[in-house]
Amino acid sequence: MAVQRTFSIIKPDATKRNLTGKVNAMIEDAGLRIVGQRRVHLSEAQAKRFYEVHAERPFYGDLVNFMTSGPVVVQVLEGENAIAAYRDVMGATNPSEAKPGTIRAAFAESIDANTVHGSDAPETAAEEIAQFFTDDQIVG
């Protein structure tokens, strides 16, 4: 097992309901450390860049609008196999399919307003982290 970093976003539906602390507690209870964190309001350009992989999909415009609708909390998480560990604690994208005890089972309102985002691979994590954090902003 290797210590790695992953990227997380606590989405507008969760920050609007003041769930940041509860989500962070679940992240830490899963054995992950929050080594970078800040609250930001994504611009349209930032959201479009972040989700450009979905640009051709029919939900892209709605996703950009949602992610710019309120503040988000961007994070760098660190731990043993952090990417898989965070994806496990996030739960399935569709909250109706998320296992009990996961973030999405506990807090997601819908498949769209599903509380959190997490990187899906080491390359994606590195790219996503670099969009929001410089090395000196990550304290491990």
Side-chain angles (χ1 to χ4, degrees):
M1 296 214 189
V3 172
Q4 65 181 186
R5 289 184 174 160
T6 192
F7 181 73
S8 165
I9 300 177
I10 301 175
K11 296 180 178 183
D13 60 298
T15 62
K16 178 174 72 174
R17 293 180 289 143
N18 205 29
L19 296 174
T20 302
K22 291 177 180 177
V23 170
N24 283 348
M26 292 179 79
I27 290 168
E28 292 177 334
D29 288 347
L32 297 166
R33 294 179 58 226
I34 300 167
V35 296
Q37 177 174 265
R38 60 193 177 103
R39 186 179 178 100
V40 298
H41 199 134
L42 297 179
S43 68
E44 182 177 350
Q46 284 175 309
K48 283 183 172 181
R49 178 174 179 233
F50 189 81
Y51 288 106
E52 70 185 345
V53 67
H54 299 302
E56 301 302 320
R57 314 262 316 252
F59 60 81
Y60 178 69
D62 289 339
L63 178 59
V64 169
N65 288 338
F66 170 64
M67 292 301 293
T68 59
S69 68
V72 299
V73 176
V74 292
Q75 302 174 307
V76 180
L77 309 179
E78 185 177 82
E80 292 289 328
N81 295 313
I83 294 167
Y86 187 47
R87 294 187 72 75
D88 284 347
V89 76
M90 283 192 316
T93 302
N94 184 342
S96 68
E97 298 170 3
K99 293 179 183 173
T102 63
I103 294 168
R104 289 177 172 150
F107 304 121
E109 296 178 313
S110 69
I111 195 167
D112 299 317
N114 63 9
T115 308
V116 289
H117 162 86
S119 302
D120 61 1
E123 302 79 22
T124 310
E127 181 181 313
E128 291 176 347
I129 289 168
Q131 285 185 46
F132 292 96
F133 292 92
T134 58
D135 288 341
D136 66 330
Q137 294 172 320
I138 302 169
V139 182

